[in-house]
Amino acid sequence: MEPIRLLLVDDEEQFRNAIARRLKKRGLVAEQAGSGEECLSILKQRPMDVVVLDVKMPGINGIETLTQIKKRYPQTEVILLTGHATTSDGVEGIKAGAFDYLTKPIELEHLAGKITQAQEKILRRVEKEKEAQFRAKMEQQMIATERLASLGTLASGVAHEINNPLAIIKESVGWMQLILKKEELADMPRRKDFEKAINKIASSIERAKRITHQLLGFVKKHDAVFCETSLKVLVDEAVELVHRQAINKNIEIIQKIEPNLDNLWSEPYQIRQVLINLLTNAIHATGSGGSITIALKNAGDQINMTLCDTGVGIPAENLKKIFEPFFSTKAPGEGTGLGLFVTRGIIEKLGGKIEVKSKVGHGTAFHVTLPKHHNIKEGLGENKNICSDALEQIKGENTL
Ligand SMILES: Nc1ncnc2c1ncn2[C@@H]1O[C@H](COP(=O)(O)OP(=O)(O)OP(=O)(O)O)[C@@H](O)[C@H]1O
Ligand SMILES: [Mg+2]
């Protein structure tokens, strides 16, 4: 328990000193003030948990001081010390918000007991506040998670539906492009315009396909198989894939990989997609001469991966939004805004976590933790097929 911050206010110095001395013997250390004014000026400088306040004082009296304390510092508890013949002051004080009152001459045991009770009241209030804050935070998180989950379901459902007509459009455009190349149409009026229009359709299909593929990427079932996975090999492969883009921008990619890095029992295709999404973002955000560092280390039953860049950074107001689907600061046509949404979806499905820290003008760091052995059964609810192969394997092992 934190030591109590206690203030003793009485205009009679000897009385104050005597009480303070005796309280100290019981482990209650009190600051002292000789008037209501001094009490308020101390409170202005530093907060107090409990104020023991004499009512009858020259200058502003105890009741007025109490009213001021309650107005300015409602958290502070006040115990009033009233004269023997003036219990009405005590009643008035309670009405003004005092914790309790004691009549002089006071018994020290009694005072010490009251101080402890006031302290307990404060502790209960702090606990309640913490609980309320925690509950509010959890509710907020749940709303955000549910929102993302339903957005995700909707988005991947839409992507799935769009994929089929898209395939038909693509096939038809391909056929039109072929026909246009035929000699019999060489003299067709405005053939070039037709060609241009058809090429535009073809490139728009490619863009639409990128969107649907990103969305379906993490719900795709057939190629998702759990197996022993070397994160180092995956990082090498992903770096190889983005290598050209990095060279073109004069960006160095540094790998800091712990020599005895353990393998994961996880899903390599999906992790590769995570790495490519994060690396592509980092390259896009980093200017010429910058660097991207990928660090991998064992951390108990997890592997920690940090991918940081020396890029433009992410403004605080965007940090909350970057994992939302379709949030992108890139020019229309350049970014789908799905990369990080999908990335987080994959990592969470694999039992891991992703966090981001960023400073505008300095760079961004994504911290990913992945469990070495994901509890496959946990993943079953949503996506049975992803794990079916691995489950079959485990079942097989169990029956042997
Ligand atoms: N390393 C980074 N540095 C700075 N900003 C970043 C970084 N990574 C992501 N962002 C910000 O987060 C936004 C969302 O990223 P996300 O990968 O989801 O979509 P995108 O990169 O815009 O589109 P896509 O992934 O389809 O190319 C980006 O537009 C960018 O503003
Ligand atoms: Mg991206």
Side-chain angles (χ1 to χ4, degrees):
M1 213 198 290
E2 295 257 314
I4 186 169
R5 296 167 300 182
L6 180 63
L7 180 63
L8 194 56
V9 191
D10 200 301
D11 57 321
E12 282 175 51
E13 194 181 347
Q14 265 187 343
F15 172 78
R16 242 173 33 224
N17 283 338
I19 298 271
R21 220 176 18 249
R22 289 165 65 198
L23 281 175
K24 198 173 170 188
K25 278 191 191 147
R26 287 169 168 76
L28 294 165
V29 180
E31 274 195 57
Q32 296 185 28
S35 65
E37 289 87 343
E38 197 187 343
C39 161
L40 292 174
S41 110
I42 290 178
L43 284 176
K44 208 171 174 185
Q45 291 159 34
R46 46 193 178 276
M48 290 289 161
D49 299 315
V50 178
V51 175
V52 177
L53 184 64
D54 186 24
V55 172
K56 205 162 164 292
M57 287 187 293
I60 49 172
N61 68 22
I63 299 291
E64 179 54 25
T65 312
L66 163 71
T67 313
Q68 293 295 325
I69 294 175
K70 281 290 156 187
K71 203 162 128 197
R72 296 183 214 170
Y73 319 102
Q75 317 281 47
T76 301
E77 296 298 343
V78 178
I79 298 167
L80 287 177
L81 303 181
T82 66
H84 189 54
T86 50
T87 41
S88 59
D89 281 345
V91 177
E92 201 185 327
I94 297 281
K95 279 189 200 153
F99 174 69
D100 209 344
Y101 69 95
L102 295 173
T103 42
K104 283 183 176 177
I106 51 164
E107 260 184 54
L108 203 88
E109 280 308 320
H110 213 163
L111 177 61
K114 278 277 168 279
I115 293 172
T116 312
Q117 281 172 15
Q119 190 181 16
E120 282 164 2
K121 182 181 170 193
I122 294 168
L123 282 178
R124 279 197 302 274
R125 188 182 55 225
V126 171
E127 284 294 310
K128 257 194 193 155
E129 279 168 7
K130 270 193 199 154
E131 205 183 297
Q133 272 172 9
F134 178 73
R135 199 172 306 136
K137 204 173 145 194
M138 288 305 287
E139 272 168 17
Q140 253 180 8
Q141 267 178 9
M142 264 170 63
I143 292 170
T145 314
E146 274 170 18
R147 195 170 141 247
L148 274 186
S150 53
L151 270 173
T153 314
L154 181 75
S156 50
V158 170
H160 193 81
E161 290 305 313
I162 285 176
N163 244 5
N164 292 339
L166 215 52
I168 297 170
I169 300 172
K170 190 177 157 137
E171 201 188 303
S172 306
V173 165
W175 179 77
M176 285 195 255
Q177 281 170 326
L178 253 170
I179 297 279
L180 268 183
K181 282 196 186 108
K182 297 236 173 205
E183 246 178 60
E184 62 210 67
L185 290 183
D187 299 327
M188 184 182 127
R190 305 189 62 185
R191 192 172 144 266
K192 280 266 165 270
D193 289 342
F194 259 96
E195 235 171 48
K196 247 196 208 160
I198 287 175
N199 288 345
K200 257 192 201 163
I201 298 176
S203 63
S204 299
I205 293 171
E206 284 312 310
R207 173 160 160 68
K209 255 179 57 194
R210 259 182 60 207
I211 297 180
T212 56
H213 282 188
Q214 274 278 32
L215 277 176
L216 291 171
F218 79 114
V219 286
K220 212 192 238 173
K221 290 161 186 165
H222 57 270
D223 59 357
V225 176
F226 274 74
C227 56
E228 183 150 10
T229 305
S230 159
L231 210 46
K232 182 184 164 5
V233 170
L234 288 179
V235 166
D236 282 341
E237 282 175 11
V239 169
E240 183 63 33
L241 279 170
V242 297
H243 173 71
R244 190 57 28 224
Q245 293 175 50
I247 288 188
N248 289 345
K249 282 189 82 179
N250 186 25
I251 296 168
E252 189 186 6
I253 302 184
I254 303 159
Q255 293 188 33
K256 289 187 176 165
I257 298 178
E258 189 174 308
N260 294 321
L261 191 76
D262 289 329
N263 283 345
L264 303 174
W265 176 259
S266 201
E267 213 290 284
Y269 300 103
Q270 309 242 315
I271 296 181
R272 190 181 296 131
Q273 190 177 352
V274 164
L275 289 166
I276 292 169
N277 286 353
L278 292 177
L279 276 167
T280 321
N281 281 348
I283 291 175
H284 198 272
T286 305
S288 174
S291 67
I292 297 167
T293 309
I294 309 170
L296 293 174
K297 1 184 229 217
N298 291 318
D301 52 6
Q302 296 182 323
I303 288 193
N304 285 352
M305 174 170 81
T306 304
L307 198 145
C308 54
D309 61 62
T310 57
V312 288
I314 304 171
E317 68 269 22
N318 286 353
L319 272 180
K320 280 186 241 130
K321 303 185 207 151
I322 56 170
F323 292 105
E324 288 185 8
F326 303 111
F327 175 81
S328 177
T329 54
K330 292 172 188 170
E334 258 188 56
T336 63
L338 291 172
L340 286 178
F341 168 68
V342 168
T343 297
R344 180 155 89 171
I346 292 174
I347 291 171
E348 288 180 353
K349 216 166 251 180
L350 296 178
K353 254 186 11 197
I354 179 164
E355 279 167 5
V356 58
K357 286 211 173 94
S358 188
K359 201 167 173 200
V360 172
H362 286 79
T364 303
F366 283 90
H367 299 282
V368 176
T369 46
L370 283 168
K372 286 181 187 164
H373 300 274
H374 180 37
N375 182 354
I376 293 161
K377 281 182 188 159
E378 273 174 16
L380 274 178
E382 267 176 57
N383 216 339
K384 286 191 174 107
N385 294 353
I386 277 192
C387 310
S388 58
D389 294 14
L391 254 193
E392 284 311 317
Q393 203 169 333
I394 287 171
K395 270 191 217 153
E397 277 165 13
N398 285 345
T399 47
L400 279 176

